[in-house]
């Protein structure tokens, strides 16, 4: 089955840029989606189809995907961005959705 | 406003069964594909099951295939997950999630219902 790999944690100072990676075999050939989950809350979609933002998501959130790595970038990080972030793809060979293990973003 | 409200979670003994539900509102439930996703305590998200808008297409994760059954009742705007042969490792918060019409990703989630499998 397809595997997505994320770093367990990322720390960033307020106002700086956080980059969260998601690795997978030939990931650039798939559409990657990103979710933010704050403590005790349901996940929220922040990026879909590699680079698109749902309405209501700040422009500070952006995504990219190439080769074996997708990246969620959070610019001008705020305290309210502290959360777990998950990448997700659809594995066409199994018709299963797959999540990465999640990355905890800590704002220093 | 899109709303998904899960219910039916609770404490169940190992080997037991439980059915959880998700009631949708604020959108035309009939035309949307739906999914169940769970999250064990302190762990990440795990996709479990998918059902097409018309019941014909259904998929399961290997971890629950043969034990869990997804279904829907469009007339009641409801999604279900029948769980049997439950194990301690099935303890989790279970979310229903709407698949975006340009998916396959999840554009709306419920607040989740906690299922605890313990004796």
């Amino acid at each position: 089955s397809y595997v997505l790999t994320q770093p367990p944690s990322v720390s960033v100072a307020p106002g700086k840029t956080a980059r969260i990676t998601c690795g997978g075999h030939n990931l650039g050939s798939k559409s990657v989606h990103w979710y933010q989950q704050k403590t005790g809350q349901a996940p929220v979609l922040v990026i879909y189809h590699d680079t698109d933002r749902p309405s209501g998501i700040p422009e500070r959130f952006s995504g990219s995907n190439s080769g074996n790595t997708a990246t969620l970038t959070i610019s001008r990080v705020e305290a309210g961005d502290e959360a777990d972030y998950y990448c997700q793809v659809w594995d066409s060979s199994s018709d299963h959705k797959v999540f990465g293990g999640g990355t905890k973003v800590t704002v220093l | 406003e899109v709303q998904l409200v899960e219910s039916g979670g609770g404490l169940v003994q190992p080997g037991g069964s439980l059915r959880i539900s998700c009631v949708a509102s604020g959108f035309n439930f009939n035309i949307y594909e739906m999914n169940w996703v769970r999250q064990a305590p302190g762990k990440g998200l795990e996709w479990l099951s998918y059902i097409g808008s018309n019941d014909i297409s259904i998929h399961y994760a290997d971890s629950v295939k043969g034990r869990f059954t997804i279904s829907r009742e469009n007339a009641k705007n409801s999604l279900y997950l029948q769980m049997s042969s439950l194990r301690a490792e099935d303890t989790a918060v279970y979310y229903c999630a709407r698949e975006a019409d340009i998916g396959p990703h999840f554009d709306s989630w419920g607040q989740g219902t906690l299922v605890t499998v313990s004796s």
Side-chain angles (χ1 to χ4, degrees), chain B residues 20-66:
Chain B
I20 58 177
S21 304
C22 170
V23 175
S25 61
F27 66 100
N28 188 353
F29 179 75
N30 297 0
I31 64 172
Y32 278 87
E33 300 156 331
M34 298 295 295
N35 294 260
W36 286 101
V37 176
R38 72 182 176 185
Q39 186 171 36
K43 302 297 184 181
L45 301 173
E46 180 188 13
W47 171 81
L48 296 181
S49 185
Y50 156 93
I51 186 167
S53 58
N54 55 12
D55 262 359
I56 294 176
S57 183
I58 287 176
H59 302 288
Y60 296 100
D62 293 345
S63 58
V64 302
K65 194 169 187 177

Side-chain angles (χ1 to χ4, degrees), chain A residues 20-24 26-28 32 34 64-71:
Chain A
I20 304 156
T21 59
C22 175
N26 200 23
L27 187 56
V32 179
W34 292 92
S64 63
N65 183 20
S66 178
N68 294 317
T69 304
T71 303

Side-chain angles (χ1 to χ4, degrees), chain B residues 2-112:
Chain B
V2 172
Q3 278 202 318
L4 298 169
V5 179
E6 301 92 338
S7 62
L11 177 63
V12 60
Q13 291 191 339
S17 299
L18 192 68
R19 188 178 85 155
I20 58 177
S21 304
C22 170
V23 175
S25 61
F27 66 100
N28 188 353
F29 179 75
N30 297 0
I31 64 172
Y32 278 87
E33 300 156 331
M34 298 295 295
N35 294 260
W36 286 101
V37 176
R38 72 182 176 185
Q39 186 171 36
K43 302 297 184 181
L45 301 173
E46 180 188 13
W47 171 81
L48 296 181
S49 185
Y50 156 93
I51 186 167
S53 58
N54 55 12
D55 262 359
I56 294 176
S57 183
I58 287 176
H59 302 288
Y60 296 100
D62 293 345
S63 58
V64 302
K65 194 169 187 177
R67 300 189 301 124
F68 289 13
T69 301
I70 191 171
S71 62
R72 64 191 296 163
E73 195 168 354
N74 286 345
K76 293 186 176 181
N77 288 346
S78 293
L79 176 72
Y80 307 103
L81 188 67
Q82 176 69 47
M83 303 180 289
S84 61
S85 303
L86 284 162
R87 310 163 180 165
E89 54 265 35
D90 294 318
T91 294
V93 173
Y94 286 72
Y95 295 101
C96 66
R98 188 181 80 169
E99 192 155 321
D101 52 9
I102 51 170
H105 55 278
F106 312 116
D107 63 357
S108 294
W109 298 67
Q111 87 289 349

Side-chain angles (χ1 to χ4, degrees), chain A residues 1 31 33 35 37 40-45 47-49 84 86 88-90 94-102, chain B residues 35 37 39 43-47 50 57 59-62 95 99-100 102-112:
Chain A
S1 59
S31 273
H33 319 291
Y35 303 88
Q37 186 181 33
Q41 298 183 19
V44 172
L45 179 70
I47 292 289
Y48 63 98
H49 291 172
D84 294 323
Y86 296 88
Q88 177 251 316
V89 299
W90 173 58
S94 62
D95 230 339
H96 291 179
K97 280 81 169 183
V98 179
F99 287 99
Chain B
N35 294 260
V37 176
Q39 186 171 36
K43 302 297 184 181
L45 301 173
E46 180 188 13
W47 171 81
Y50 156 93
S57 183
H59 302 288
Y60 296 100
D62 293 345
Y95 295 101
E99 192 155 321
I102 51 170
H105 55 278
F106 312 116
D107 63 357
S108 294
W109 298 67
Q111 87 289 349

